[in-house]
Amino acid sequence: MHWLDTPRTRLHYRMEGSPDPNAPLMVLLHAVGLCGSWWGDYERQYRGGWRVVALDLPGHGLSSRLAHDVALRDIADDVAHLVDHLGGAAHVVGVSMGGMVAQELAIHHPARVASLVLLSTLSTLPDAARHAMLDRGTLAVASGMQAAAHETALRWAPDGVESQAFRARCFDQLRRNDPHNWAASWRAISRVDTWERLTRIRCPVLAATGEHDASTPPAHAHAIAAQVGDGRFTLLPDGGHMAAFSRPATVQAAMDRFYAQVAAAH
């Protein structure tokens, strides 16, 4: 186990891969309610030539609890401390909430980010959707994590898109969350608002989402890719909101093409 105390919190992270401190650094940021252990397929795929770091975001896994009014920017600052600790600009991969944190990281700490892979994520929301995000946190506090986990697992793994086994895996992880950490995460997500600032991101960006992702539609990922200075869009065939974990080989193939393009351009 690895730990890092930042000025605001204590982070737990996993580190795999090359022992060479000059090897490229990949930092993996999970979705709300999950933890760093969900990145096992990526740790195995990239451990040969990368330093691969999968952290538990604050309020998740073994990291410290979340403050009531934490912002995505606060979490991005914590990740920046981790990148500084490990050394070198990071190739950051973020899913859903992790992708929102990754955007704030690239905007406010550009020297720490070599590239971004933004999977199934958003940069802004209409007001009605912001209220819906808050309601997801309220449900857990009022009715317990079983109800919140059931609703989220159905949305992440709908019939005809993902298997029942994958839905069960999501539910099992989500139900173990603390309701107050869950609610604080959704309050932070409800305030996502990077759209106008995406033009400040200068590193290469891959924005990708599942073909059947109702939470973060392909059109929004395409718009993110167009809004940043150096963006690319990839559609993940047949995937839903958690395609990163239900179809890791598809996502890794897209990442490999992206990293090859980045290397060729530099």
Side-chain angles (χ1 to χ4, degrees), residues 126-181:
D127 287 343
R130 295 186 191 279
H131 291 302
M133 303 296 178
L134 291 172
D135 289 344
R136 290 171 188 166
T138 302
L139 174 64
V141 174
S143 303
M145 279 306 305
Q146 291 282 120
H150 179 70
E151 184 275 333
T152 301
L154 283 174
R155 183 161 34 83
W156 284 3
D159 290 333
V161 176
E162 304 292 5
S163 69
Q164 290 187 358
F166 182 72
R167 183 190 300 168
R169 181 188 175 202
C170 293
F171 175 78
D172 185 60
Q173 174 71 54
L174 294 170
R175 70 180 176 82
R176 288 181 276 162
N177 278 261
D178 174 83
H180 296 283
N181 280 331

Side-chain angles (χ1 to χ4, degrees), residues 218-264:
H220 192 85
H222 192 278
I224 289 174
Q227 181 78 341
V228 299
D230 183 7
R232 301 155 180 82
F233 166 74
T234 294
L235 183 68
L236 304 172
D238 301 322
H241 187 56
M242 285 294 116
F245 302 119
S246 65
R247 291 167 172 77
T250 299
V251 176
Q252 289 162 10
M255 289 169 57
D256 290 344
R257 291 191 296 270
F258 171 63
Y259 293 136
Q261 293 166 358
V262 170

Side-chain angles (χ1 to χ4, degrees), residues 30-199:
H30 59 77
V32 64
L34 303 185
C35 62
S37 66
W38 278 64
W39 292 106
D41 288 307
Y42 295 79
E43 292 168 336
R44 288 185 288 272
Q45 175 69 12
Y46 293 106
R47 64 171 44 141
W50 298 74
R51 293 177 293 150
V52 185
V53 174
L55 70 148
D56 296 341
L57 293 174
H60 296 77
L62 299 177
S63 291
S64 297
R65 294 174 59 86
L66 274 176
H68 178 83
D69 287 322
V70 70
L72 295 168
R73 165 72 189 274
D74 298 327
I75 301 173
D77 290 345
D78 294 330
V79 178
H81 283 287
L82 178 62
V83 174
D84 283 347
H85 173 71
L86 297 171
H91 297 269
V92 181
V93 182
V95 177
S96 196
M97 179 185 178
M100 300 172 197
V101 172
Q103 293 169 58
E104 293 284 3
L105 180 68
I107 290 166
H108 293 286
H109 303 279
R112 274 88 163 188
V113 182
S115 72
L116 288 180
V117 175
L118 303 176
L119 303 170
S120 303
T121 196
L122 295 170
S123 61
T124 189
L125 288 166
D127 287 343
R130 295 186 191 279
H131 291 302
M133 303 296 178
L134 291 172
D135 289 344
R136 290 171 188 166
T138 302
L139 174 64
V141 174
S143 303
M145 279 306 305
Q146 291 282 120
H150 179 70
E151 184 275 333
T152 301
L154 283 174
R155 183 161 34 83
W156 284 3
D159 290 333
V161 176
E162 304 292 5
S163 69
Q164 290 187 358
F166 182 72
R167 183 190 300 168
R169 181 188 175 202
C170 293
F171 175 78
D172 185 60
Q173 174 71 54
L174 294 170
R175 70 180 176 82
R176 288 181 276 162
N177 278 261
D178 174 83
H180 296 283
N181 280 331
W182 174 263
S185 296
W186 281 110
R187 281 191 291 272
I189 291 169
S190 76
R191 297 193 294 269
V192 61
D193 190 22
T194 56
W195 174 254
E196 296 295 336
R197 295 176 288 140
L198 290 177
T199 55

